Amino acid sequence: DAETATGTTSINAGSFTVTDTTTQNAISVSEGATLTTKDKVTTTDGIANAGTLNLLGGADIGKGIIRAVINSTVSGDGTTNFGTADSKAYIQTTTDKAIAQAINLVNADVIANSALGASGKGFNISDTSTLTIAANNIMADVTNAGTLNLGSGILTKAITGTTGTIITKGSVSSNASYLGNAVTNDNYTLTLTGGTLEKAITGGDVAIDGVVTSNASIASAIKINEDKSLTIGANNVGGDVSNSGILNLDTGALAQNVNGTGTTNINGDVIVAANKDIINTVKIAENSSLELNAGLIDATKANITENLGTVIMNGGTLGVALSDGYFELMLIGIPKTFEDLEDITTFIDTKEAKGS
């Protein structure tokens, strides 16, 4: 039943369950002991938990969710569990009331208005659980099999898991390597500060503000900041790119536009989709090729400044200066290979080029 006291309640052994609102000055749970609460918990001086703290309560009544409010800090070497396999918990923590220990969302829907976790301690979200929390309030690496709603902030801990989902609910900044779940970017800006991305990002805007490599799709509008870089397979570019830095494109089909004052490096065989443009400085590496299909490389904003590979044009406009290299152009249906711009000019003046 309801527990109200001004002193310290100590759970030294065994299991103790409180089924109503709990208001205490302080609570202490010893190693090996268990405290289970089933409603609101308020303490003045916090809960010192060296054992197990099970937080239950709240309900989904169909028309809305009623949450049990945890108005208490929790510290110690113990573990805090939200919900049980048989009983889903609907919990909300109070601002500035951190739970700084191992965390398990066993079966719960939790809104955390304070920090959760402790460095080096376990932090698990089950497949039946949802956690909504500001990115900077995650204090330990998370294994996520459920849904993690990330509010605005800087993520400094890794999120891993093969089945979980991250949904951004604000502007989040993170090393790409920390995003070990697929990310749905809910119309905010997700800033990648470095690292390697292994899981797909969809929606919103992605800003590149470091040296980033992506082995997964980024189906978002992409902005590469000045002096920063993104290395990505052309197939994985899922949104138009505004490039003020360096875009390194590996082999694949580019189905988006690239523009800006930066440089696009072609490191493989890149085929640009019909009517898609690259308005950047372009460099083509040795044994690489860039194929345009009725698209544009704009003379006013871009130049192929270094071509050690091949340019293939199936229509389109190549309004740029070309350095020495090999150029295969489809001119009035005649495929030809050229060694330099002078050869192209000479060919255009021939009867073969003028055709019938």
Side-chain angles (χ1 to χ4, degrees):
D1 294 329
E3 291 286 334
T4 301
T6 58
T8 298
T9 297
S10 298
I11 313 298
N12 294 320
S15 297
F16 186 74
T17 299
V18 180
T19 60
D20 206 339
T21 299
T22 303
T23 303
Q24 302 282 308
N25 182 48
I27 297 174
S28 174
V29 182
S30 298
E31 184 178 0
T34 299
L35 171 63
T36 300
T37 69
K38 294 187 176 181
D39 208 330
K40 299 177 181 179
V41 178
T42 299
T43 68
T44 303
D45 295 332
I47 301 172
N49 177 33
T52 300
L53 175 63
N54 297 321
L55 299 177
L56 307 181
D60 185 348
I61 60 175
K63 296 181 179 180
I65 292 175
I66 299 173
R67 295 183 183 275
V69 178
I70 309 303
N71 187 24
S72 177
T73 60
V74 181
S75 61
D77 292 330
T79 299
T80 296
N81 298 319
F82 293 86
T84 67
D86 298 326
S87 178
K88 187 158 190 170
Y90 298 88
I91 304 290
Q92 179 174 325
T93 68
T94 305
T95 303
D96 297 328
K97 299 293 186 178
I99 300 180
Q101 58 181 206
I103 300 288
N104 290 316
L105 272 69
V106 179
N107 184 19
D109 184 330
V110 176
I111 296 177
N113 295 309
S114 56
L116 290 187
S119 184
K121 304 293 185 180
F123 195 142
N124 301 290
I125 303 172
S126 76
D127 60 353
T128 60
S129 296
T130 299
L131 173 62
T132 301
I133 187 171
N136 50 284
N137 274 337
I138 295 177
M139 309 308 290
D141 292 344
V142 178
T143 301
N144 177 35
T147 300
L148 175 59
N149 295 321
L150 280 183
S152 296
I154 300 173
L155 182 66
T156 61
K157 299 298 181 180
I159 312 299
T160 61
T162 57
T163 60
T165 300
I166 298 170
I167 301 176
T168 60
K169 294 295 184 179
S171 297
V172 174
S173 179
S174 174
N175 187 292
S177 300
Y178 293 162
L179 301 174
N181 292 143
V183 179
T184 298
N185 188 14
D186 196 6
N187 294 318
Y188 294 94
T189 297
L190 172 60
T191 300
L192 302 181
T193 58
T196 300
L197 183 70
E198 298 291 353
K199 297 291 185 178
I201 299 173
T202 58
D205 300 322
V206 171
I208 305 299
D209 198 38
V211 178
V212 176
T213 297
S214 180
N215 295 323
S217 171
I218 302 179
S220 311
I222 301 170
K223 179 183 179 182
I224 304 173
N225 293 335
E226 188 175 358
D227 297 325
K228 311 305 180 182
S229 69
L230 172 63
T231 299
I232 188 170
N235 287 334
N236 282 331
V237 178
D240 285 350
V241 181
S242 175
N243 178 27
S244 298
I246 298 173
L247 173 62
N248 298 311
L249 286 179
D250 295 333
T251 294
L254 180 67
Q256 309 296 331
N257 294 304
V258 178
N259 62 68
T261 59
T263 298
T264 297
N265 295 319
I266 306 300
N267 300 312
D269 298 320
V270 175
I271 301 172
V272 181
N275 301 310
K276 295 300 180 180
D277 307 327
I278 298 179
I279 304 176
N280 256 193
T281 295
V282 178
K283 296 183 179 181
I284 304 173
E286 189 174 4
N287 299 320
S288 299
S289 67
L290 174 63
E291 180 176 336
L292 294 178
N293 291 279
L296 166 68
I297 297 182
D298 189 355
T300 61
K301 296 185 178 179
N303 288 286
I304 295 183
T305 60
E306 179 180 305
N307 176 34
L308 302 176
T310 301
V311 177
I312 302 170
M313 292 193 66
N314 299 313
T317 302
L318 185 64
V320 299
L322 294 172
S323 66
D324 287 345
Y326 292 94
F327 312 97
E328 295 182 5
L329 280 72
M330 187 67 68
L331 298 172
I332 56 173
I334 305 170
K336 295 290 291 185
T337 299
F338 305 94
E339 293 187 357
D340 54 36
L341 186 58
E342 183 178 353
D343 278 1
I344 296 175
T345 304
T346 301
F347 173 77
I348 291 173
D349 288 333
T350 66
K351 291 182 180 179
E352 180 185 6
K354 292 175 180 178
S356 59

